[in-house]
Amino acid sequence: MVDLVSARHPTIKRLRRLSRRRSARSDEDGPTLVADALDAPVPVEEVVAERGCPEDLLDRAAGAGATVRRVADGVLARVTATVTPQPVAAIARFADVPADVAARAAGPLALVLVGLGDPGNAGTLLRSAEAAGAGAALFCDGSVDPFGPKCVRASAGSVFRLTVARSTDAADALRALSAAGLASLATVVHPGGPAYDEVDLARPVALALGSEAHGLPDGVAARVSGVVTIPMVGRTESLNVAMAGTVLCFESLRQRRRLGRANRLDAAPPQAAGCTEP
Amino acid sequence: MVDLVSARHPTIKRLRRLSRRRSARSDEDGPTLVADALDAPVPVEEVVAERGCPEDLLDRAAGAGATVRRVADGVLARVTATVTPQPVAAIARFADVPADVAARAAGPLALVLVGLGDPGNAGTLLRSAEAAGAGAALFCDGSVDPFGPKCVRASAGSVFRLTVARSTDAADALRALSAAGLASLATVVHPGGPAYDEVDLARPVALALGSEAHGLPDGVAARVSGVVTIPMVGRTESLNVAMAGTVLCFESLRQRRRLGRANRLDAAPPQAAGCTEP
């Protein structure tokens, strides 16, 4: 039996505080996302449910060691940041993973996000990257918090399943990825480099993507092992960063599928560690 | 010389009303979007500027026949729907284009959006489609208004440069596209059809995309000439509709580039009109 707690219970206050700040922890909402977190190696500490929440989800949460509490209907809509009210919210603890740990988890594909400010774009990129076989994403140089509510939601749970490093220096990230055997590629505006489908994206590769407004800083562009461009027609000047990253992730998967190594574990083994810096 | 009008001027009231409703007309904001509208064959009726607006833009608007008015700083932030206040807003009249006109403007690529409810996704799709050489988009069966403020902004001006039909019946849209010589392809969830890179997307093709929540209705899926799927790995169950559409648009462009016919005008000529329905 689970207690019904009031809107002034410390857990509810904590949830409200976490919904406002977006620091070391993050609240997340919705039955699907809570289930995703329970499936992933993410320690879910507390789960707060209203009446519409599936009972089996609460049983699973309790079985996984989370404290489960109930509140009256409408309390969560007031304390969480979701636009569409959800009948359940959870508080989970995310691990801060260093760049070298993320780099070794990349498998065939990683994202390096540099100064990416929009959480919706970041989450969308995580979702595309996971669907294309990526194992890791590194958030660098003032990028949005990957564990913030908007990014978690836009990722549709991918943020739980990828190995994510945050608050990383881009130079450190590229060094770690190079040491783990990944080539790093910067996307540049058309025309500015070889077309993405003429570049080998089937090898283990890290895709560096910059901010919506400013692209990649010069310091990063100088440290990658290569550049790619996405040829365009029409009068569009650029693609949304999430769309550009999605095109590149799926071209990487397409090239791997053609070689019969689509999955993370099928990917070519990383080269020996100790590569020189790009 | 341009008059300074008060916040109670009829134009400002009209702008506020258009920002709330999203019907036959739409207000749009930002110097870049206003310039895009002036570049495109979109009749801009009125332009309202604050101090930060570039003077040459106002000269161009006046030269194009628009009535230009000035308001005190801060008025536009109160009447328009933008999150980031912009120093200029415009009222433009959009033409309602029938499905057959849009179909004949498609060139190598068109979008058929069926019940697509999110204006950000719709705008992003228009931006990707234009960058990949599409000439037209048909908004069907309860899809969002392509000329609503959020869609226009997410399209980064592409909505002005594509031929856009709205409030179209999906069956009529597919009939018109078939008559114009385009094959129509529905996207289905993996695994459910041939992989998108094994399907001929270099021929003139219309990509049918469904709603975020429900996908394509059965009636539409039964009327297309074929299906495609985007193979995925990882535990992601689906892609965001804007990402899926972007992957398909750019695969279409990639295949056309390989054949040396990337551009709209380079595309294979449509087949003779009068094709049977798919």
Side-chain angles (χ1 to χ4, degrees):
Chain A
M1 207 33 221
V2 177
D3 287 341
L4 186 77
V5 299
S6 85
R8 289 185 296 178
H9 187 278
T11 295
I12 304 300
K13 288 184 178 169
R14 188 178 172 207
L15 203 52
R16 182 186 284 119
R17 203 169 56 240
L18 289 170
S19 280
R20 304 282 180 277
R21 300 208 203 135
R22 290 165 191 191
S23 54
R25 295 168 181 214
S26 175
D27 69 296
E28 247 341 292
D29 324 85
T32 311
L33 277 179
V34 174
D36 282 339
L38 290 169
D39 285 340
V42 172
V44 177
E45 298 185 347
E46 300 193 77
V47 172
V48 182
E50 295 184 1
R51 262 187 306 185
C53 181
E55 288 302 317
D56 56 337
L57 181 67
L58 301 182
D59 292 344
R60 282 189 56 209
T67 304
V68 177
R69 301 184 204 279
R70 287 185 186 280
V71 286
D73 293 351
V75 170
L76 291 179
R78 291 201 301 277
V79 299
T80 62
T82 43
V83 176
T84 311
Q86 298 285 351
V88 62
I91 298 176
R93 183 180 290 276
F94 293 108
D96 249 330
V97 174
D100 60 325
V101 172
R104 286 195 298 270
L109 184 63
L111 294 180
V112 181
L113 307 180
V114 185
L116 191 84
D118 183 273
N121 283 340
T124 300
L125 282 166
L126 294 176
R127 187 174 176 185
S128 289
E130 190 203 6
L138 295 87
F139 283 64
C140 308
D141 297 4
S143 286
V144 70
D145 181 356
F147 303 122
K150 277 193 185 171
C151 181
V152 173
R153 272 195 294 275
S155 86
S158 292
V159 70
F160 300 137
R161 296 184 292 265
L162 294 169
T163 301
V164 176
R166 60 175 177 172
S167 308
T168 301
D169 177 72
D172 291 344
L174 293 171
R175 237 188 317 265
L177 288 158
S178 173
L182 284 87
S184 54
L185 293 172
T187 48
V188 294
V189 173
H190 170 68
Y196 69 106
D197 57 326
E198 288 161 7
V199 171
D200 178 7
L201 300 179
R203 63 185 159 159
V205 69
L207 301 172
L209 296 160
S211 86
E212 294 81 359
H214 308 295
L216 282 170
D218 293 343
V220 172
R223 282 172 188 275
V224 293
S225 36
V227 297
V228 285
T229 199
I230 301 178
M232 298 187 295
V233 293
R235 289 192 33 226
T236 319
E237 285 171 17
S238 66
L239 284 175
N240 170 311
V241 65
M243 297 303 111
T246 297
V247 169
L248 295 175
C249 284
F250 277 85
E251 175 64 10
S252 157
L253 176 60
R254 197 186 68 81
Q255 292 187 14
R256 277 180 277 127
R257 282 173 38 234
R258 295 265 154 167
L259 297 173
R261 32 177 228 237
N263 290 305
R264 289 188 199 186
L265 300 176
D266 298 339
Q271 298 153 31
C275 302
T276 53
E277 264 182 68
Chain B
M1 207 34 219
V2 177
D3 286 343
L4 187 76
V5 300
S6 85
R8 290 183 296 177
H9 188 278
T11 294
I12 304 301
K13 289 184 179 170
R14 188 178 171 207
L15 203 52
R16 180 185 287 120
R17 203 170 53 240
L18 289 170
S19 280
R20 302 283 180 277
R21 301 210 203 134
R22 288 163 193 192
S23 55
R25 295 169 181 213
S26 175
D27 69 296
E28 249 338 293
D29 324 85
T32 311
L33 277 179
V34 174
D36 283 338
L38 290 169
D39 285 340
V42 173
V44 177
E45 297 184 348
E46 300 193 75
V47 173
V48 182
E50 295 183 2
R51 262 186 308 185
C53 180
E55 288 303 317
D56 56 338
L57 181 67
L58 301 182
D59 292 344
R60 283 189 54 211
T67 303
V68 177
R69 301 183 204 280
R70 287 184 186 280
V71 285
D73 294 352
V75 170
L76 291 179
R78 291 201 302 278
V79 298
T80 63
T82 43
V83 176
T84 310
Q86 298 285 351
V88 62
I91 298 176
R93 183 180 290 276
F94 293 108
D96 249 329
V97 174
D100 61 323
V101 172
R104 286 196 297 271
L109 183 62
L111 293 181
V112 181
L113 307 180
V114 185
L116 191 84
D118 184 273
N121 282 340
T124 301
L125 281 166
L126 294 176
R127 186 174 176 184
S128 290
E130 191 203 3
L138 294 86
F139 283 64
C140 308
D141 296 6
S143 287
V144 70
D145 182 356
F147 303 122
K150 277 193 184 170
C151 181
V152 173
R153 273 194 294 276
S155 85
S158 292
V159 70
F160 299 138
R161 295 184 292 265
L162 294 169
T163 300
V164 176
R166 61 176 175 171
S167 308
T168 300
D169 177 73
D172 290 344
L174 293 171
R175 238 188 317 264
L177 288 158
S178 172
L182 285 86
S184 55
L185 293 172
T187 49
V188 294
V189 172
H190 170 66
Y196 69 107
D197 57 325
E198 287 161 8
V199 171
D200 178 7
L201 300 179
R203 62 187 158 157
V205 68
L207 301 172
L209 297 160
S211 85
E212 294 79 1
H214 307 295
L216 282 171
D218 292 343
V220 172
R223 282 171 187 275
V224 293
S225 37
V227 297
V228 286
T229 201
I230 302 177
M232 299 187 293
V233 294
R235 289 192 34 226
T236 318
E237 285 170 18
S238 67
L239 287 174
N240 171 311
V241 63
M243 295 146 59
T246 298
V247 169
L248 295 175
C249 284
F250 276 85
E251 175 64 10
S252 156
L253 176 59
R254 197 186 68 80
Q255 292 187 16
R256 277 179 277 128
R257 283 172 38 234
R258 295 264 153 168
L259 297 173
R261 33 177 225 235
N263 291 305
R264 289 189 199 186
L265 300 176
D266 298 341
Q271 298 153 30
C275 303
T276 54
E277 265 181 67

